[in-house]
Amino acid sequence: MTLPSLRWWHRFRIVLFLSLSGFALLLLASPPPQSSNPAQINLQVIVVGSLSEAQQVEQRLKKGEDFAVVAKEKSIDPSAPVGGYLGKIDPTLLRPEMRAALAGVPEGQITPIIKIANGYVILKVLPEGQTAQDSRSAATQSMSANPNMGLASRGAIIFPADIGGNTIADLTFQQFPKPPGWEQDPRVSCKIRKDSLAGAIDRLNQALNPPARELRNKASSFDLVQQHYGLAQLYSYQGNMDQAIEHWEQALSIATAEIPAGVPQLEEVLGIAYLHRSEMRNDVFRAPGELCLFPPRPGVKYAHTADSEKAIEYFVRYLEEKPDRAHRLQVKWLLNLAYMTLGKYPSGVPPQYRMVLPALESKQPVGRFQDVAAAAGLDLFSLAGGIIIDDFDGDGLLDVVTSSYDLCEPLHFFHNNGDGTFSDRSAQAGLLDQLGGLNMIQADYNNDGCMDILVLRGAWEFPSRKSLLRNNCDGTFTDVTKEAGLAEPATRTQAAVWADIDNDGFVDLFVGNENGPSQLFRNRGDGTFEDISHAAGIDRIAFTKGVVAADYDNDGYVDFYVSNLYGGNFLYHNNHDGTFTEVSQQAGVHLENSQSFATWFFDYDNDGWPDLFVTSYYFSIDESLRSYLGLPINVETQKLFRNLGNGTFKDVTKEVGLAQVFLPMGANFGDFDNDGFLDIYLATGGPAYGALIPKVLLQNQSGRSFVDVTSASGTGELHKGHGTAFADLANRGFEDLLSSSGGATPGDAHALRVFRNPGNDNDWITVRLVGVKSNRAAIGAKIKVTVENKGQGVRSIYRTVGSGGSFGASPLEQHIGLGKAAQILSLEITWPASKTRQKFTAVSKNQFLEIKEFAQQYTVTKRKQFILGGSKAPI
């Protein structure tokens, strides 16, 4: 198995202090006296945990197997997803055993097996200018730090210093002894996480326990720095920043005296660590309010500023020492954010370091959203996770369910009390044993009228089984994963979608996996599923981060789009016989050199054809800042493809104003201003503690363009964004905006953000469809609303029933904005299984409707309107 591919930063820095693991190869050793410009070596690496594994790998390589392919399959180094490619490395910065093994190895050849602290290594010397992709792997050129290769010819991609310790935590987890079948029980994974962390911290503390003088006699300065750095990372992972900073300060002291080349990186790390501790001491993560919204409002500042001032000291030192440092732009940005915590941004920032992002200056008066999470009883404090919103207990009100990246945290079920507040009923719902899960999706898979939940696990880390939770229609859930046939094999995934591929009235399940084949499970209609992945032709191996469904060619059968972080994306056309044909190249949506993540189909211009949106994700705050500042970028932007109606798409990204690099993970769409055109919210960030960049709200301008209204709306939360959803939680006729905002470690947990919509005077209608021959939840049904807006003529608005984006799920009922002074001329429904069409006229606006398949009339559902957050909420 491989490690989370998001921890790339250490391979692109000349000096790195990483961990106790021994698996990070670019570890600083005291370089021997030699040329100031030593020759660099272009390298690939495979790291395994045992000698027998290393010998098996060596035999395969000597028989001619591709190094990159074997690396992706066997290596436990973070470089595995890109074929073990490290880029051009100064050999003097490798550990001595690495340098010795490389001596005399010609280009194209591998080293003997190298024993390191906790594993075994094989290196391959690549010819000048060659990448892992050039050697027939699926690695992406854009991950290269070599300025002569592919996309990187624009310049090296700069990755932030990650002090969160997640890489070390995952390494210790993988090395820890495990019982057979551990991946089938989330409770066992939780215990392994706790025990492996405790063991790693104990071992490092023991290593550093003797007096420093005695220890120095037994270990090099390099090893001491490593040990302090590794222990600091583990404490930082837990959120114990006092002890983390203590050990980083000791590492800096040793480096200053004996390893000066390592000082700048430690200065950057300590700047981030102090800024993170400042946030913790000011309770920003638990009670964020206005404190972490960007741009800040006048007068907003921290109460306790000593740690922010210390962060400024380290950032300035880093910037002053060498003006051309690679991390200069992102360190300047963090310096500006540190001044923001003092209430001195931007005017108080030294002019030479001041950064203003003009693109964030909203020109549209959209009204300011208010975070009412705590007042509404949605006061969740958690890691990264998924969010789904729907009526799970059948009372006609929208409930909220969340999951967490934390292997030991259960799902949370928040019941809508019908008064603007929610109650946590996780225990009553039987969900306390459902631990972990980075994402979730909902559907009524058995057509009993009650919404079920699928929990997706293992993303970025290690295989773990999914959980299918059957709704018992009484406010409780039962785990039926094994009986349904979905438990094995365990995979690494956060991406899946429900869709009825054969129009038999039961939703089927498409699952996209990381470094594994996609899976397609056909719903047999009896509560069980059949794996038809290979027969259907969708089982391509990829590092999949998003899966979405739509009938993109309007032929009556649903198709799939698969978004992959490495290599090209897939568009699977439904052949109407249970098989699919991959047509991404012909359709113009392949994106070979773009690292894709969140994705969805939506009709952004209301022409009746589903368009395709795909975000890019490069783990680089530097690239996002370049995009904001109008500087040259080194990566692909997000993409919007307009459906041309002939089976192909046109890239309209630039013409609609979306050619930017936003770094989103969670993302979704909805019509927050009720103008009938779908808007976008991008929940940005990365796993590094310094990966702070505002979330983005993009307003659709009548299907012609998108404009950034983040500043005006007050939705620019700086911390990590994941599961995202739009939903009218208070029956006011306006969609509120919810975003899971935690990071990947306990030390980066954050409060859920629930931004209440300020509303306006535009009209709306909400439609809940109930299938009879089609699947009960009406997934895939199409809605067309023809309206006349006073003085603006007649137009049509199109929606397809689904939960929105690929990371976070909105309700399946469809909230449809109608614009100002609207009159509904007709409401048409097209059903997927029966192919029937219903048309209703003289429909009143600003109401909730329920429509059953084949029914002659619709039902108006009376719902009480209330204030989200109740009487405690800010107005």
Side-chain angles (χ1 to χ4, degrees):
M1 61 188 100
T2 56
L3 286 176
S5 62
L6 67 165
R7 271 69 95 181
W8 297 109
W9 65 277
H10 70 282
R11 272 182 307 287
F12 296 93
R13 307 182 64 165
I14 293 178
V15 177
L16 171 73
F17 308 102
L18 187 68
S19 74
L20 73 160
S21 70
F23 290 129
L25 303 183
L26 303 190
L27 298 175
L28 177 68
S30 300
Q34 55 178 295
S35 163
S36 60
N37 262 324
Q40 294 187 326
I41 304 176
N42 202 18
L43 293 177
Q44 278 176 285
V45 65
I46 294 173
V47 183
V48 293
S50 70
L51 178 59
S52 62
E53 289 178 294
Q55 290 170 338
Q56 292 172 11
V57 166
E58 184 180 47
Q59 290 174 7
R60 291 176 61 179
L61 296 174
K62 287 182 175 180
K63 289 180 180 178
E65 288 195 47
D66 179 52
F67 193 100
V69 171
V70 179
K72 291 185 69 176
E73 179 185 342
K74 293 293 185 182
S75 183
I76 56 176
D77 187 73
S79 62
V82 288
Y85 185 65
L86 294 177
K88 295 176 73 175
I89 305 300
D90 177 354
T92 65
L93 299 179
L94 295 173
R95 296 187 65 96
E97 60 265 43
M98 306 292 175
R99 291 201 303 266
L102 283 166
V105 176
E107 290 183 352
Q109 300 300 310
I110 63 173
T111 65
I113 296 171
I114 309 164
K115 175 71 173 74
I116 58 175
N118 292 320
Y120 297 82
V121 175
I122 297 175
L123 295 168
K124 181 178 181 180
V125 179
L126 294 173
E128 177 80 12
Q130 180 174 307
T131 69
Q133 182 171 0
D134 296 330
S135 63
R136 304 183 306 280
S137 82
T140 58
Q141 290 175 324
S142 59
M143 289 305 299
S144 169
N146 182 354
N148 300 315
M149 299 180 228
L151 288 174
S153 62
R154 308 173 191 171
I157 303 171
I158 306 302
F159 300 87
D162 184 359
I163 69 169
N166 206 30
T167 298
I168 302 175
D170 287 345
L171 281 167
T172 60
F173 184 100
Q174 291 187 43
Q175 295 172 357
F176 198 83
K178 303 175 184 67
W182 64 272
E183 68 276 7
Q184 289 293 324
D185 189 342
R187 294 168 299 182
V188 176
S189 295
C190 167
K191 187 176 188 305
I192 294 171
R193 172 67 87 196
K194 290 179 178 179
D195 292 348
S196 61
L197 276 174
I201 291 173
D202 184 61
R203 287 193 300 274
L204 270 178
N205 271 313
Q206 288 182 22
L208 289 167
N209 188 48
R213 182 174 299 173
E214 178 185 342
L215 188 61
R216 280 171 184 262
N217 292 334
K218 297 180 179 180
S220 68
S221 300
F222 164 70
D223 290 326
L224 280 172
V225 168
Q226 267 198 297
Q227 289 166 341
H228 281 297
Y229 195 105
L231 189 52
Q233 285 240 15
L234 290 172
Y235 282 132
S236 181
Y237 176 90
Q238 296 178 318
N240 188 341
M241 297 309 296
D242 291 348
Q243 288 184 275
I245 287 173
E246 177 185 342
H247 283 281
W248 272 313
E249 293 277 17
Q250 290 185 57
L252 177 61
S253 176
I254 297 169
T256 300
E258 302 181 39
I259 319 173
V263 169
Q265 282 69 28
L266 282 166
E267 290 173 342
E268 179 186 2
V269 162
L270 277 161
I272 296 170
Y274 274 106
L275 180 59
H276 195 77
R277 190 169 75 174
S278 182
E279 294 174 307
M280 297 179 80
R281 288 187 170 174
N282 286 277
D283 208 23
V284 167
F285 295 109
R286 288 186 179 273
E290 295 273 346
L291 291 175
C292 49
L293 295 182
F294 191 90
R297 302 182 92 176
V300 174
K301 61 181 181 180
Y302 286 6
H304 310 287
T305 60
D307 283 328
S308 292
E309 291 164 0
K310 193 69 174 177
I312 288 171
E313 176 186 327
Y314 275 114
F315 290 144
V316 169
R317 192 186 304 176
Y318 177 95
L319 293 167
E320 287 179 342
E321 287 173 351
K322 195 172 181 182
D324 60 346
R325 285 202 172 114
H327 284 211
R328 183 174 179 80
L329 188 61
Q330 57 196 30
V331 171
K332 279 179 62 178
W333 168 246
L334 292 173
L335 175 66
N336 278 255
L337 293 184
Y339 273 101
M340 173 180 145
T341 70
L342 306 182
K344 297 181 179 181
Y345 175 85
S347 59
V349 183
Q352 69 270 33
Y353 301 134
R354 188 177 302 147
M355 290 181 68
V356 179
L357 308 183
L360 282 175
E361 297 175 1
S362 305
K363 299 179 176 60
Q364 306 295 324
V366 298
R368 192 169 181 89
F369 287 67
Q370 290 284 337
D371 182 6
V372 296
L378 293 167
D379 51 347
L380 178 70
F381 180 71
S382 184
L383 274 61
I387 187 167
I388 49 177
I389 303 174
D390 225 305
D391 179 9
F392 290 100
D393 50 16
D395 62 359
L397 299 171
L398 297 176
D399 308 301
V400 177
V401 183
T402 67
S403 64
S404 175
Y405 195 60
D406 186 342
L407 297 180
C408 299
E409 183 174 347
L411 300 188
H412 292 274
F413 179 88
F414 293 99
H415 165 75
N416 191 326
N417 297 324
D419 61 359
T421 68
F422 293 76
S423 298
D424 190 336
R425 292 190 180 175
S426 309
Q428 298 94 315
L431 297 176
L432 295 186
D433 284 339
Q434 294 297 328
L435 308 180
L438 187 56
N439 197 14
M440 300 175 294
I441 54 174
Q442 79 272 30
D444 182 2
Y445 81 93
N446 57 358
N447 287 345
D448 64 355
C450 304
M451 201 65 68
D452 311 298
I453 299 173
L454 180 74
V455 184
L456 304 166
R457 298 189 178 93
W460 302 117
E461 293 188 312
F462 25 74
S464 185
R465 78 162 171 87
K466 299 172 278 291
S467 283
L468 178 61
L469 307 178
R470 186 189 65 210
N471 192 327
N472 299 321
C473 301
D474 60 0
T476 68
F477 295 83
T478 299
D479 190 329
V480 296
T481 318
K482 186 174 181 179
E483 302 95 296
L486 298 178
E488 295 181 352
T491 62
R492 296 166 44 182
T493 183
Q494 68 177 56
V497 67
W498 296 99
D500 185 356
I501 65 169
D502 49 9
N503 292 330
D504 67 350
F506 289 90
V507 286
D508 310 296
L509 177 64
F510 192 119
V511 179
N513 296 307
E514 296 176 354
N515 279 357
S518 292
Q519 297 167 295
L520 182 58
F521 297 96
R522 180 182 172 273
N523 191 331
R524 293 189 177 105
D526 60 359
T528 68
F529 292 81
E530 173 191 7
D531 188 340
I532 62 169
S533 311
H534 183 69
I538 61 86
D539 57 340
R540 293 175 178 235
I541 295 175
F543 200 97
T544 297
K545 300 307 295 178
V547 179
V548 287
D551 179 9
Y552 77 89
D553 54 357
N554 285 341
D555 67 353
Y557 285 81
V558 70
D559 313 293
F560 295 106
Y561 188 72
V562 179
S563 169
N564 300 315
L565 197 62
Y566 311 114
N569 296 342
F570 310 139
L571 177 62
Y572 290 110
H573 177 261
N574 193 324
N575 298 325
H576 309 179
D577 60 2
T579 69
F580 293 79
T581 300
E582 204 287 299
V583 296
S584 59
Q585 292 278 13
Q586 303 93 301
V589 294
H590 187 59
L591 292 177
E592 179 66 40
N593 290 321
S594 178
Q595 290 178 209
S596 301
F597 203 129
T599 184
W600 58 68
F601 286 101
F602 70 155
D603 190 354
Y604 83 93
D605 55 0
N606 281 327
D607 67 352
W609 295 90
D611 310 298
L612 180 62
F613 179 71
V614 191
T615 70
S616 60
Y617 193 83
Y618 289 88
F619 320 113
S620 174
I621 296 298
D622 186 88
E623 292 299 326
S624 289
L625 293 171
R626 288 177 171 277
S627 183
Y628 271 122
L629 295 169
L631 299 174
I633 59 175
N634 308 302
V635 299
E636 288 291 342
T637 68
Q638 59 193 359
K639 297 292 182 182
L640 178 61
F641 295 101
R642 182 173 179 268
N643 193 328
L644 300 180
N646 60 1
T648 67
F649 294 78
K650 177 185 177 183
D651 184 346
V652 296
T653 311
K654 289 184 179 179
E655 62 188 75
V656 301
L658 290 178
Q660 290 182 263
V661 180
F662 282 124
L663 201 69
M665 291 175 288
N668 216 320
F669 62 89
D671 184 5
F672 81 85
D673 54 2
N674 280 353
D675 67 351
F677 291 92
L678 292 167
D679 312 298
I680 296 172
Y681 190 63
L682 302 176
T684 58
Y689 284 4
L692 304 174
I693 201 81
K695 297 180 176 65
V696 181
L697 183 59
L698 300 169
Q699 185 184 43
N700 189 331
Q701 303 289 292
S702 301
R704 295 187 296 270
S705 64
F706 290 82
V707 296
D708 191 328
V709 294
T710 306
S711 177
S713 64
T715 56
E717 162 67 55
L718 282 164
H719 293 104
K720 321 307 166 50
H722 293 88
T724 299
F726 287 77
D728 179 8
L729 293 178
N731 297 332
R732 297 168 52 243
F734 292 93
E735 289 183 305
D736 308 299
L737 186 53
L738 291 84
S739 180
S740 166
S741 296
T745 72
D748 208 16
H750 196 282
L752 175 70
R753 285 291 207 175
V754 181
F755 292 111
R756 185 182 62 201
N757 195 319
N760 58 30
D761 58 357
N762 285 348
D763 297 315
W764 54 274
I765 193 167
T766 296
V767 180
R768 177 177 290 183
L769 299 181
V770 180
V772 177
K773 183 176 181 180
S774 299
N775 69 89
R776 184 71 177 265
I779 291 173
K782 299 176 182 179
I783 302 172
K784 176 183 178 182
V785 185
T786 302
V787 301
E788 182 175 7
N789 296 100
K790 187 175 180 179
Q792 296 184 15
V794 176
R795 62 178 174 134
S796 293
I797 302 168
Y798 296 87
R799 298 289 185 270
T800 300
V801 176
S803 60
S806 57
F807 198 161
S810 302
L812 294 181
E813 68 176 28
Q814 295 298 297
H815 174 89
I816 304 170
L818 304 175
K820 198 178 300 293
Q823 177 186 359
I824 300 176
L825 303 181
S826 66
L827 171 62
E828 300 175 56
I829 315 297
T830 303
W831 293 89
S834 65
K835 308 299 182 187
T836 56
R837 180 172 297 178
Q838 295 163 298
K839 183 174 182 178
F840 304 97
T841 57
V843 178
S844 297
K845 61 189 180 183
N846 301 337
Q847 61 181 344
F848 298 89
L849 305 183
E850 183 176 290
I851 302 174
K852 286 189 176 182
E853 190 175 11
F854 306 120
Q856 299 298 309
Q857 301 293 329
Y858 57 80
T859 301
V860 177
T861 304
K862 298 297 183 182
R863 297 188 189 177
K864 180 183 177 182
Q865 184 182 103
F866 37 85
I867 298 173
L868 182 59
S871 59
K872 299 180 182 179
I875 302 299

